[in-house]
Amino acid sequence: MEQSIESYIKNLVRDVIGQSLGELQLQSDRQTYVIANWKMNKNLNETAEFFQKINSSQDVSVVICPPAQLLYPAHLLIKQSGKPIGLGGQNVHWADKGAYTGESSGSMLRDVGCEYVIIGHSERRQYSYEDDELVNKKVLHAIKSELTPIICIGETLGQKNALQTEQVLVKQLEGALKDIDSSHFILAYEPVWAIGTGQSATAELAQQIHAYIRSILKKIIGEKADGISILYGGSANEHNAADFSAMPDIDGVLVGGASLNAQSFDGIINVFAKGEQNS
Ligand code: PEP
């Protein structure tokens, strides 16, 4: 109870400060992120090898989201490396504690070194039947736990072909952000048809959709929408990263497959770091 009052006050203070700075917040102030979603991949040895090889950068926020079992070892490896890398979970439960076999709460993620958590990934929507209501409960819980949620939204191929992309995104956004009075979250636009297929969206299409997402976000949270980082996800790699990084509403990438290889992931980090140096 004491802890939830404390985090409520902390969030309130962060939001009041954020609000008063809001008017000064320009597009270029948005944080750029390169985030790895390892999904159900890698063991301890491979994790140690990855953190040894990865170079990282001071110019962009790099976050690695390993499977739950690798979070604490990854935390120790990051600390040991001294590299500026953040840690995130791939999922969180909505309750503080209790009889929820196999789940992890926000405070448990914090405890093992996480500052971020992916919520609403399309694979969880597909295989674990997570809907917008559940995504919203998890986002509320993550914010209360002082984790930054990385909220994933995106249409399926069927929805795209049926010209329902905008309506799907509005529903997912409104659903995920219901009763959220904080602007401490990251959005990831991940068209389901581009995830793991090798067929990324073109940077132009992604930019168009990101601008649309920001316009909807403005209706939901007002001017603070200008300060929210919107990442692209879906077959992003070291070869197409430069196209995405050149777009004004694309504030980084969420990377699956290409994040498993330290060299490829470094390539993506370098592209976005260069973009930041030039801006
Ligand atoms: C993802 O699953 O979040 C993702 C973007 O995967 P990939 O990069 O492999 O398409």
Side-chain angles (χ1 to χ4, degrees):
M1 181 66 179
E2 238 173 57
Q3 206 197 352
S4 62
I5 292 174
E6 193 187 308
S7 54
Y8 173 77
I9 293 171
K10 277 189 188 161
N11 283 337
L12 202 66
V13 171
R14 283 197 308 195
D15 280 348
V16 169
I17 292 171
Q19 239 161 34
S20 50
L21 290 176
E23 283 170 25
L24 296 173
Q25 202 156 35
L26 302 172
Q27 171 205 312
S28 58
D29 288 338
R30 280 200 297 271
Q31 189 66 45
T32 302
Y33 292 91
V34 177
I35 302 183
N37 173 14
W38 283 358
K39 312 191 186 196
M40 200 170 71
N41 290 294
K42 288 202 190 291
N43 59 26
L44 272 173
N45 279 342
E46 291 162 345
T47 302
E49 207 179 305
F50 180 91
F51 285 107
Q52 218 166 36
K53 285 189 182 162
I54 192 93
N55 288 315
S56 194
S57 165
Q58 300 282 358
D59 297 314
V60 292
S61 293
V62 175
V63 179
I64 310 290
C65 302
Q69 287 75 1
L70 295 172
L71 283 170
Y72 192 57
H75 168 65
L76 297 179
L77 288 161
I78 292 169
K79 255 173 80 172
Q80 196 182 45
S81 75
K83 293 170 187 168
I85 298 174
L87 187 66
Q90 295 178 11
N91 181 32
V92 68
H93 196 261
W94 50 265
D96 292 335
K97 57 158 84 170
Y100 301 103
T101 302
E103 299 285 351
S104 315
S105 70
S107 69
M108 288 170 174
L109 292 182
R110 294 268 329 171
D111 209 26
V112 294
C114 292
E115 295 166 279
Y116 302 86
V117 63
I118 298 173
I119 297 178
H121 191 281
S122 65
E123 284 150 16
R124 293 207 60 86
R125 291 180 192 257
Q126 184 183 352
Y127 302 122
S128 300
Y129 310 106
E130 294 195 359
D131 60 10
D132 294 328
E133 201 182 324
L134 184 56
V135 168
N136 177 245
K137 282 169 88 169
K138 292 184 174 201
V139 172
L140 283 164
H141 177 75
I143 290 172
K144 190 177 90 173
S145 311
E146 294 182 43
L147 289 164
T148 301
I150 303 159
I151 306 167
C152 301
I153 55 172
E155 80 286 4
T156 62
L157 184 60
Q159 290 164 336
K160 177 180 189 271
N161 290 341
L163 306 179
Q164 291 170 346
T165 299
E166 292 190 352
Q167 107 191 39
V168 168
L169 294 176
V170 170
K171 183 174 168 291
Q172 290 180 340
L173 269 176
E174 288 179 346
L177 297 176
K178 188 169 169 277
D179 300 329
I180 305 288
D181 57 4
S182 165
S183 54
H184 294 279
F185 59 86
I186 298 168
L187 285 177
Y189 169 57
E190 298 212 304
V192 181
W193 47 268
I195 295 181
T197 59
Q199 290 219 298
S200 68
T202 62
E204 290 73 20
L205 175 66
Q207 162 57 30
Q208 203 181 318
I209 294 181
H210 281 221
Y212 177 72
I213 290 172
R214 201 175 302 286
S215 74
I216 299 304
L217 201 53
K218 263 192 189 155
K219 290 189 188 152
I220 303 173
I221 65 165
E223 291 308 309
K224 282 196 235 168
D226 281 330
I228 302 290
S229 299
I230 306 179
L231 318 186
Y232 168 77
S235 298
N237 57 41
E238 67 275 39
H239 307 296
N240 58 25
D243 296 341
F244 294 117
S245 90
M247 295 296 166
D249 281 289
I250 301 182
D251 308 308
V253 278
L254 177 55
V255 188
S259 74
L260 295 173
N261 179 295
Q263 209 181 346
S264 304
F265 194 58
D266 249 347
I268 302 174
I269 294 170
N270 287 339
V271 166
F272 278 92
K274 264 197 208 127
E276 278 303 290
Q277 282 163 3
N278 296 338
S279 68

